[in-house]
Structure formats: structure tokens, C-alpha cells
Amino acid sequence: MRVSSRPGSAMAESPVAKRKREDNDGDATAPPGSEAVAGDFPLAELSVCKVLRDSAREKAIFLHGKVKSASGNGKDAVVILEKTPFQEENITKLLKKYTKLQLQMSNDIYSTYHLYLPPELNEIKTTVVYPASEKHIQKYLHQEVYLIQESGEDYTNITLPFIEAQSFSIQWVYNILEKKAEADRIIYENPDPINGFILIPDFKWNQKQLDDLYLIAICHCRGIKSLRDLTAEHLPLLQNILQEGKEAIEKRFNISGSQLRIYLHYRPSYYHLHVHFTALGYDAPGCSVERAHLLSDVIANLEGDSHYYQKRTITFALRADEPLLKKFQEAGRV
Ligand code: M7G
């Protein structure tokens, strides 16, 4: 399936161009200089300090590097390089316009080759976080993981104070809601300040093929941090996201609601309520049972009990180095 039937869909812009940081309030982890307007990233000047993670299965490598600044001290960056899925419409071009086909081995009827392609058929999706905080670097570092059973009380006593003190800046979310960034990428908007939301491609998706379709719905209402804050009063908002989100995706991408995985993360990285929409056939990062909560189940649970998510124990994984794990250990909860 192709995305290109959608007018003007396929233009991927520089991930940092246009992203503005005008106000850094509330970001306990933002490094100095992050309030600056981001421009095109000087990739050639990146000196790699460490490979944070290298995944042969995802065909992606996660790098921590430094970019020299005028003051001499390098600023930290996280750069993710990722080979993108094939686009069916490019296959004919690829078979006809390759630069070189080099035999690697041959045995009876079997042979393998290195196929070299011209640059336009050989792109690498590059995601940049710059300047990156220590927390960003830790986010992508491969670590052992441990399961935590967080009761409602644990949330109030351990997790909530922790996230209030140190969670990622959600300035990028406000930029989207205020149309200061990514405005041309919006797929659908319900502008109601209480029950409305914006549906936009996730920055994990290059929009060039539908196999790995990934969008997020970001609610207009501020202050709903996560699943834990949801009560029956939020049902109209959640129903709008489910219903209108599905309709908008069907209209734009011709994918029916029954072929979408629509879910919330608990715990999310960014504490402003948002919902993930991914292609059902795509094994998206973060769709595992210890993190993804289907929106339809969330709605059903809230219909049954308005305070379901304040009371219930929720299981999630924490990486070995995450300070929150230490807090749970200190409280004797692990
Ligand atoms: P999450 O569950 O809070 O955290 O989801 P995760 O990143 O650990 O999954 C936030 C979602 O927003 C993720 O799917 C991110 O890929 C996506 N995302 C993050 N940022 C900083 C941006 C951004 O600037 N633009 C867009 N469009 N998506 C983003």
C-alpha cells in the first residue's frame, strides 16, 4: 500500500527545522541552550561518544555524540539512524537504476549480492534530539528492565512526586497545539478546548508507506498527565479521539479502524495525555503488554468505574538505571 495517493503527504521535513523552544518552563531536564530555535543539524560535525543501542532487527543505531559549539564545550546530541522500509512504488526504479550489483557468493542455484543504489533510493531516516539532556541519553541506552507493580498509593506517594520533579519538557506538545510547529502536518483537529484534540503523524513515521503507520492524538486540554488522571469525566474526550481519529485515518489513508492499534502508554515519556495510533500489523516500539493500554479497554474500564485508574495496580517496566526504580527500591516496593 502506498501513501502517495494522498496529496502532499510524502514530504518529510528536517526533524529539527521549525521546532522552536520559546519557553522551557517545567523542564527539569532541559540542558542549557535548549530554548534556542533549532535549525538544520550539523551532522558532519557530530563526534560520536557512544553507541547507545544497536538493533539489527530494527535496523537502527542510537548514537550519543557531541557537537562543537562556539564556546568550545561540545553540546550533547542523540542521533538515531534507521533504515526505512521499502516503498513498493520504488521497486521498479530500484531494479533498473542501481549503481552496482556485486556478487558476494554463489553456490549451485543460490547467490547473494551487494546492491548499491543511487542516493535518492537509499535514504536513512535520521532523528535528532539536540541539545539532548542526560535523560534523553539514558532513554535510548540499552538497559536491563524490571517489572514494577504500581498501586494507586504508589502512584501518589512515589511516582507522582517523581514525575513532578523530573519529567521531559512537553514544549514540543504545546508547539503542536499552538500551531508553532508541525502545523502543516496536522491530519485532523477537533478544536474543542475540553474534548478536542489534534491528530498528527508521530515523528517515528516517515509517512512514506502505510506498513508502519504511526500517528498520535494530542488532547487540547492541559493538565491530564496520563492514564492515572483519567476519570469518567474524560469519556467524551476519549470517545472523540477513538471515533474521530479512526474516521480521519480511514479518510486520509484508507485504513479501517479495525486495522489500527489505538492505545495509551503507561508510563508515557511525555506527561500530556496523548493516544498512539499504529497499523495493527506493525510491531511498533512500545506496543508490548507491559506498556500499551488499548483505548477501547480504557473507555470500558472508566464506564464501569470512574476511578478505575486511580485505584488499580498497573504493571510497567523500568530500566536498571532509571531513578524511579531506585525510589521503588527505597520504598521496599521492588
Ligand atoms: P510517549 O508514550 O510519551 O513516549 O509517546 P515514548 O516516546 O517513550 O513512546 C510520545 C510519542 O510522541 C512517541 O511515539 C514519540 O515518537 C512522539 N514524539 C515525540 N516527540 C518529541 C515528537 C515531536 O516532536 N513530534 C511528533 N510528531 N511526535 C513526537
Side-chain angles (χ1 to χ4, degrees):
M1 277 215 263
R2 309 180 329 168
V3 179
S4 50
S5 54
R6 185 170 70 77
S9 67
M11 289 311 293
E13 60 185 359
S14 157
V16 289
K18 288 192 169 190
R19 191 164 307 150
K20 293 176 183 162
R21 288 188 175 271
E22 293 170 345
D23 170 4
N24 219 15
D25 284 355
D27 181 8
T29 66
S34 59
E35 68 285 356
V37 173
D40 285 325
F41 181 71
L43 190 63
E45 281 161 44
L46 182 82
S47 66
V48 175
C49 309
K50 190 177 170 111
V51 174
L52 299 170
R53 191 156 79 80
D54 181 3
S55 166
R57 191 180 65 84
E58 294 167 49
K59 298 189 179 56
I61 191 161
F62 299 71
L63 305 170
H64 166 212
K66 284 203 186 274
V67 181
K68 275 206 199 89
S69 60
S71 63
N73 288 333
K75 281 193 193 166
D76 290 301
V78 170
V79 174
I80 304 166
L81 303 175
E82 191 182 345
K83 302 223 176 173
T84 50
F86 288 102
Q87 294 159 45
E88 279 176 34
E89 67 268 33
N90 278 347
I91 295 296
T92 315
K93 229 193 276 172
L94 186 151
L95 297 177
K96 299 220 175 315
K97 293 202 170 169
Y98 63 83
T99 321
K100 189 163 82 172
L101 182 67
Q102 191 175 54
L103 182 68
Q104 208 186 349
M105 76 92 193
S106 160
N107 182 351
D108 188 36
I109 59 169
Y110 306 100
S111 50
T112 64
Y113 298 85
H114 291 299
L115 177 65
Y116 296 93
L117 299 171
E120 67 277 12
L121 294 172
N122 205 10
E123 72 166 53
I124 291 194
K125 179 171 190 278
T126 306
T127 306
V128 175
V129 183
Y130 178 71
S133 66
E134 185 53 36
K135 214 163 168 290
H136 286 113
I137 296 165
Q138 292 304 320
K139 173 173 156 93
Y140 293 107
L141 186 66
H142 179 73
Q143 293 273 326
E144 291 288 321
V145 285
Y146 298 89
L147 279 187
I148 298 289
Q149 312 263 314
E150 181 198 69
S151 66
E153 255 183 22
D154 291 334
Y155 174 72
T156 314
N157 299 334
I158 306 172
T159 310
L160 182 59
F162 177 82
I163 59 182
E164 278 170 348
Q166 45 174 307
S167 46
F168 282 125
S169 165
I170 46 176
Q171 187 56 47
W172 68 272
V173 171
Y174 296 152
N175 287 347
I176 290 174
L177 295 177
E178 291 164 19
K179 320 274 167 62
K180 290 180 179 165
E182 305 187 49
D184 52 339
R185 286 160 43 90
I186 292 174
I187 300 294
Y188 175 81
E189 175 171 17
N190 173 334
D192 188 278
I194 310 285
N195 295 321
F197 66 97
I198 283 181
L199 182 71
I200 194 160
D202 192 283
F203 81 166
K204 290 196 196 93
W205 184 37
N206 67 6
Q207 295 187 73
K208 294 207 171 158
Q209 58 287 311
L210 295 177
D211 314 61
D212 59 345
L213 172 135
Y214 201 143
L215 296 105
I216 40 170
I218 303 174
C219 71
H220 272 300
C221 175
R222 300 190 182 193
I224 313 172
K225 289 187 284 304
S226 73
L227 203 57
R228 281 286 189 201
D229 285 344
L230 292 176
T231 62
E233 112 186 68
H234 301 111
L235 281 168
L237 165 68
L238 299 175
Q239 271 146 356
N240 285 349
I241 293 179
L242 184 64
Q243 198 49 39
E244 295 170 27
K246 281 200 277 196
E247 283 164 13
I249 290 176
E250 167 123 47
K251 198 164 161 208
R252 181 66 75 97
F253 302 108
N254 202 19
I255 293 191
S256 83
S258 56
Q259 291 180 295
L260 295 171
R261 186 182 288 111
I262 306 170
Y263 55 97
L264 292 89
H265 276 161
Y266 192 78
R267 296 183 320 119
S269 296
Y270 303 97
Y271 285 88
H272 173 106
L273 193 81
H274 57 274
V275 175
H276 302 249
F277 287 71
T278 61
L280 189 57
Y282 172 48
D283 190 12
C287 75
S288 49
V289 290
E290 70 274 23
R291 196 161 186 220
H293 296 253
L294 287 176
L295 179 57
S296 51
D297 290 353
V298 171
I299 290 174
N301 290 334
L302 291 172
E303 281 169 346
D305 178 358
S306 174
H307 294 288
Y308 183 89
Y309 287 104
Q310 285 79 58
K311 292 190 281 199
R312 83 157 253 202
T313 293
I314 307 182
T315 304
F316 56 81
L318 282 174
R319 291 193 310 272
D321 69 311
E322 285 192 73
L324 185 58
L325 181 65
K326 211 160 164 238
K327 299 270 176 216
F328 271 84
Q329 283 164 339
E330 284 164 5
R333 296 290 294 119
V334 186

